[in-house]
Amino acid sequence: MGLTSNMVLTLAVLSAVLLFAGTVWLWPRLARRGWRSVGGRVGLLLATQVALFAAVGLAANQAFGFYASWADLFGQEKDQGVVVDHMPGDGPLEVVGTGRVPGAGGVRPRSGGRIQQVDIVGRTTRIATPAYVYLPPEYFQPRYRTRTFPAAVVLTGYPGTASALVEKLHYPRTALELARAGRARPMILVMLRPTVAPPRDTECVDIPGGPQTESFFARDLPDALRAHYRVSEKRGGLGIIGNSTGGYCALKIAMHHPDVYAAGAGLSAYYKAPIDATTGDLFQGDKGLRNRADLWWCLRHEPAPDTSLLVTSSRSGESNHKDTLRFIERVRATGRTRISSIILESGGHNFNTWRREIPATLEWIGERLNGR
């Protein structure tokens, strides 16, 4: 049974309830002095606490998508996903599954769209990663058969799971509902983790001697999408969105590659790549690479990119509020890069806050992307 399965959560909750009831029932019998009674009381209390902790932890993991599997939880996921050999003729993108948009209704693709589970392999970086692709109903309708669509790459935080973008943050359902209401244009969504070399957090950096993550998102991923889907090849056909670590990546990639991404939205983003136990040494002593990963440095020392940025925060509950206001002022001072924001009165660094920001974010990015 998987870490995120409902069966595991149900068993954990049931175990906690039964242990609690058993402790109450057996406590009078264990009230005597003596090592056996004391040991019994300690054992019951310890088992109950462990079961409660497990139940709460599993529920939190299902809600926020911290870990995708038992191997991920215990740090046993070692697949770096950076070197993959394929037979000649294999494309950079392979569809491995398809399904309906959760909670959106519409049995047929022409009415409810589709979600495809895909495997993507970078032609130049050799990075391999799974993803989910949302195709709107219009993609399957005969009158749009020659039309290309704008697309938005959507990134999770770290560690994050791509499935959480579908099942917890409801990106496809929200995009479908907005288009049906006439509030947003139909667009393709490509949903994946920024952690393309798990368990390492690469912060979307081209690491010397390691995964070339920024190049994957800036070059390989757009090429794979355009080769497989009717994604607009015009300048302004692609945007990028992310939350937390994914938000930092979205802003950085949009700023570094405005010719590829016409807009970037960072939900609860930060503005400088951290160095910690999850990232390791990202820059290998390369000062230029370290500076390039610092958005504050880029705003001060590099030409202002011709792109549109969106940042979000909340006055109460988000630690990035002051930095976000300062980032807005720095971008405005460039006179060229366009900046927008969503500032909530309150909201923490969590899925509930991002769900409140996603509809306006999709509307915003849809207005800045071109299709045909």
Side-chain angles (χ1 to χ4, degrees):
M1 292 182 288
L3 177 65
T4 59
S5 72
N6 290 329
M7 180 62 73
V8 170
L9 178 59
T10 300
L11 288 174
V13 171
L14 184 61
S15 298
V17 171
L18 291 175
L19 281 167
F20 177 79
T23 300
V24 173
W25 178 261
L26 294 173
W27 199 260
R29 302 183 185 182
L30 300 173
R32 305 185 186 95
R33 297 178 180 178
W35 68 269
R36 290 185 178 179
S37 296
V38 172
R41 295 197 297 270
V42 170
L44 283 173
L45 289 173
L46 182 61
T48 303
Q49 292 293 323
V50 169
L52 285 171
F53 177 80
V56 172
L58 288 166
N61 188 63
Q62 280 212 16
F64 298 107
F66 296 123
Y67 299 98
S69 65
W70 295 108
D72 195 13
L73 173 65
F74 293 109
Q76 297 173 338
E77 187 176 323
K78 301 300 183 183
D79 182 9
Q80 295 296 306
V82 294
V83 178
V84 176
D85 294 324
H86 287 265
M87 295 296 292
D90 282 357
L93 188 151
E94 179 184 1
V95 178
V96 297
T98 186
R100 296 166 57 184
V101 177
V107 176
R108 302 178 63 189
R110 294 180 184 180
S111 59
R114 273 296 176 267
I115 294 177
Q116 294 183 344
Q117 188 174 357
V118 303
D119 288 333
I120 302 171
V121 180
R123 286 290 196 189
T124 63
T125 62
R126 310 311 300 163
I127 286 175
T129 186
Y132 291 89
V133 176
Y134 161 70
L135 300 172
E138 290 80 1
Y139 192 88
F140 302 96
Q141 295 171 6
R143 60 176 173 162
Y144 294 108
R145 65 182 180 275
T146 61
R147 173 180 169 178
T148 60
F149 290 80
V153 174
V154 185
L155 302 177
T156 69
Y158 176 84
T161 60
S163 61
L165 296 168
V166 178
E167 299 167 0
K168 306 295 183 182
L169 291 177
H170 312 307
Y171 269 98
R173 188 175 77 188
T174 304
L176 179 59
E177 292 172 348
L178 289 172
R180 284 174 173 173
R183 294 170 54 191
R185 299 169 57 197
M187 71 177 74
I188 295 170
L189 300 179
V190 185
M191 298 160 283
L192 66 163
R193 304 166 71 184
T195 313
V196 294
R200 189 176 188 181
D201 176 12
T202 65
E203 294 291 325
C204 298
V205 169
D206 281 350
I207 301 173
Q212 303 295 288
T213 312
E214 181 172 342
S215 293
F216 172 80
F217 285 112
R219 183 170 59 245
D220 286 347
L221 180 58
D223 287 349
L225 296 176
R226 288 169 176 148
H228 193 88
Y229 297 106
R230 300 199 310 274
V231 173
S232 176
E233 296 188 6
K234 296 191 298 183
R235 189 179 189 278
L238 284 176
I240 185 166
I241 304 169
N243 60 266
S244 192
T245 298
Y248 160 74
C249 288
L251 295 175
K252 179 177 69 174
I253 291 169
M255 290 175 66
H256 288 177
H257 306 278
D259 55 325
V260 179
Y261 291 99
L267 281 57
S268 304
Y270 46 86
Y271 306 101
K272 180 180 179 181
I275 298 295
D276 56 30
T278 65
T279 65
D281 186 357
L282 293 175
F283 311 119
Q284 304 292 312
D286 188 327
K287 184 178 179 180
L289 190 61
R290 183 179 68 248
N291 288 339
R292 187 170 167 79
D294 183 343
L295 303 189
W296 303 112
W297 187 93
C298 292
L299 288 172
R300 289 194 303 268
H301 296 95
E302 294 188 346
D306 182 14
T307 191
S308 297
L309 304 177
L310 171 70
V311 292
T312 79
S313 188
S314 60
R315 293 183 176 87
S316 174
E318 282 278 24
S319 62
N320 77 334
H321 182 235
K322 290 183 179 180
D323 279 347
T324 296
L325 297 181
R326 187 160 63 99
F327 185 79
I328 292 170
E329 291 305 313
R330 289 279 183 89
V331 174
R332 288 180 62 189
T334 68
R336 189 184 189 201
T337 306
R338 297 162 294 281
I339 185 74
S340 304
S341 66
I342 300 172
I343 306 295
L344 302 177
E345 285 299 322
S346 66
H349 198 80
N350 56 51
F351 282 6
N352 184 59
T353 297
W354 300 326
R355 280 192 291 263
R356 295 160 61 196
E357 298 166 343
I358 287 169
T361 299
L362 289 175
E363 288 185 58
W364 175 87
I365 206 165
E367 292 171 354
R368 285 153 181 81
L369 301 184
N370 300 318
R372 177 169 63 82

